[in-house]
Amino acid sequence: MASAAGPRAQRLLGRLPGPPRSPRGARALAMAPPRRFALELPGCSLAHLAVGGDGPGARLDPRAAALLGPPGRSYWLCVPEAPGGDCAARVRAARLHQRLLRQLRREPLRRCRLRPLLGYGGGGGLQRGFLLRDPGRSPDTRRALFALLGEAPEGARLGEFAGDARGQLWQSVWERRDGAEWRRAGPRERVLAAPEPALHPVVPDLPRSAVFPRREAARAVLEACVPLIPEAQAVLDLVDQLPEQVQKGKFPVIAIEGLDATGKTTVTQSVSDTLGAVLSKSPPACISQWRKIFDDEPTIIRRAFYSLGNYIAASEIAEESTKSPVILDRYWHSTATYAIATEVTGGIQYLPPAHHPIYQWPRDLLKPDLVLLLTVSPEERLRRMEGRGVERTREEAELEANSVFRQKVEVCYQRMEDPACHVVDASPSREKVLQMVLSIIQNNCNQL
């Protein structure tokens, strides 16, 4: 099936059907500004800001004050998301967020410094967005933002931070109604430091946007994508042929995980040859032809595709495991770890804590008997990457450029439960690694 994730899909942005809602109710959702922000600072820490505080309040982190106050000017853009289960609205919001990011990287806005920003606590759910720092306070920046948001189909929110002579920080919200000129909405409000919440603001949203706890949750997302991405229907047709629950056969199923260039491909092939096992991959071959299309989509769509790929693979695994052992080159742990590491901004300290439900295996997905996690040092992994010339996904490319992202992926792997990962040092020779892997398999899989 030919790809349509280009101009046609862009023209369709925002036209997904949603549940009936009055115009006034729709505007209330779209226009509700966030009351708190989580701003990623240099060094991958987060500053939490509260809007509308009274009294002296807590002082802002100096790094946050430098990003928000004078001598430059800072703007925030946030895309409201529909709370609850409105998948169509969530898909629209995610695609708008991605479109805005691409346009913010063009002239004249690319001259601004761009940072991730999360809005929350405004009654309209989580709002993903950006902070734009304009060091030169150019009037062209504001005009460019007005022009950009005038084309936005679903009313992204725009605000501005400004400091005063006493060193206090204030927020103004901009709005445009019924084609009129842009104007400030209401009085400006004080911005103060806010206490850090117990969990990163994005974590409660993960089961609806990135780490789907069951098949139907991921299926609903791709169903909402059908008017935009025809290939989504082809994936759904395969999913709808699957039984509700599949049962593993008498032979063991072993998933082998690891970052790119940890030797995963070599080990999976060697283990399958040694054990006379079937070698399988997730996503399976029947949908791999569409990976490039979905890899270019926002997290919610990309992760729904990979999640459903796990369920399609599970059906194949169930059948094969009645005849022989099955070795899996990646499975659900990869889908979940990359999603969590991508969505949770900041450093590893902001990841969901160990034993959080987000690390639990989906109840309706066939569970492997054993999961092995291959690891090597960052230096060894980079050495192996040199000269490979293998096409990588967006997240795999970021592993090379962003050491914090790599650390978050590794920590998420280590926090997975039921089944947990058995960590294997894949730095030694191929022969030694294979011996270690086979020893772990024999000690944990009685069927061999």
Side-chain angles (χ1 to χ4, degrees), residues 58-388:
R59 294 188 60 182
L60 290 174
D61 184 301
R63 294 170 297 172
L67 290 171
L68 302 175
R73 176 182 287 134
S74 292
Y75 302 88
W76 59 260
L77 283 78
C78 284
V79 180
E81 293 187 356
D86 188 349
C87 284
R90 296 175 72 84
V91 166
R92 283 197 300 268
R95 297 191 106 221
L96 174 57
H97 180 274
Q98 180 171 278
R99 194 187 91 177
L100 290 174
L101 175 60
R102 291 170 177 167
Q103 292 175 319
L104 290 171
R105 289 173 172 168
R106 302 172 185 168
E107 294 291 352
L109 294 170
R110 66 177 299 177
R111 291 173 289 183
C112 296
R113 300 168 188 168
L114 192 64
R115 303 197 72 83
L117 186 71
L118 286 170
Y120 61 103
L126 191 70
Q127 301 192 27
R128 290 176 170 84
F130 319 95
L131 178 79
L132 275 83
R133 176 68 171 172
D134 180 10
R137 300 174 61 88
S138 170
D140 292 340
T141 300
R142 187 183 290 167
R143 286 194 290 266
L145 288 171
F146 288 164
L148 173 61
L149 295 185
E151 300 173 356
E154 200 45 46
R157 302 291 293 144
L158 173 64
E160 181 177 336
F161 295 113
D164 62 17
R166 295 184 295 174
Q168 296 178 335
L169 187 67
W170 301 84
Q171 173 197 260
S172 299
V173 177
W174 291 89
E175 68 173 13
R176 182 186 184 211
R177 292 187 179 181
D178 303 323
E181 293 295 320
W182 285 87
R183 62 182 179 84
R184 287 184 171 88
R188 67 177 189 168
E189 295 182 284
R190 180 93 179 275
V191 180
L192 300 170
E196 183 175 309
L199 286 175
H200 190 289
V202 82
V203 170
D205 192 62
L206 288 176
R208 296 185 295 271
S209 64
V211 188
F212 302 102
R214 61 188 187 282
R215 184 172 78 181
E216 282 308 306
R219 190 194 182 285
V221 172
L222 278 207
E223 188 173 16
C225 293
V226 170
L228 299 173
I229 311 170
E231 290 79 7
Q233 185 60 62
V235 177
L236 291 173
D237 290 342
L238 292 171
V239 172
D240 290 343
Q241 297 173 23
L242 304 176
E244 286 297 319
Q245 193 84 31
V246 296
Q247 297 295 325
K248 189 181 75 67
K250 64 179 182 179
F251 290 95
V253 174
I254 300 153
I256 299 182
E257 299 276 5
L259 303 183
D260 213 26
T262 54
K264 183 167 46 60
T265 301
T266 300
V267 170
T268 53
Q269 185 65 62
S270 298
V271 171
S272 63
D273 291 344
T274 302
L275 298 180
V278 171
L279 179 57
S280 184
K281 292 186 177 182
S282 184
C286 60
I287 65 170
S288 290
Q289 60 186 310
W290 301 311
R291 282 186 67 176
K292 181 62 172 66
I293 294 170
F294 288 95
D295 280 342
D296 288 338
E297 293 292 334
T299 295
I300 186 172
I301 301 173
R302 187 165 68 253
R303 288 300 147 202
F305 169 78
Y306 281 102
S307 293
L308 293 178
N310 289 328
Y311 287 93
I312 296 172
S315 180
E316 299 176 2
I317 294 165
E319 180 178 354
E320 294 292 346
S321 65
T322 63
K323 299 173 286 186
S324 67
V326 178
I327 305 299
L328 263 170
D329 185 344
R330 290 189 172 175
Y331 199 22
W332 182 82
H333 282 353
S334 286
T335 307
T337 53
Y338 279 86
I340 298 167
T342 299
E343 291 296 282
V344 176
T345 54
I348 60 175
Q349 67 269 35
Y350 302 108
L351 292 172
H355 312 303
H356 188 278
I358 204 70
Y359 299 120
Q360 296 289 327
W361 192 271
R363 293 183 179 180
D364 61 349
L365 179 63
L366 183 145
K367 188 183 300 184
D369 297 278
L370 181 66
V371 180
L372 302 176
L373 174 63
L374 305 184
T375 64
V376 296
S377 68
E379 296 77 17
E380 173 65 13
R381 200 184 69 85
L382 288 177
R383 187 188 68 77
R384 295 181 181 184
M385 289 292 296
E386 293 178 359
R388 287 184 61 182

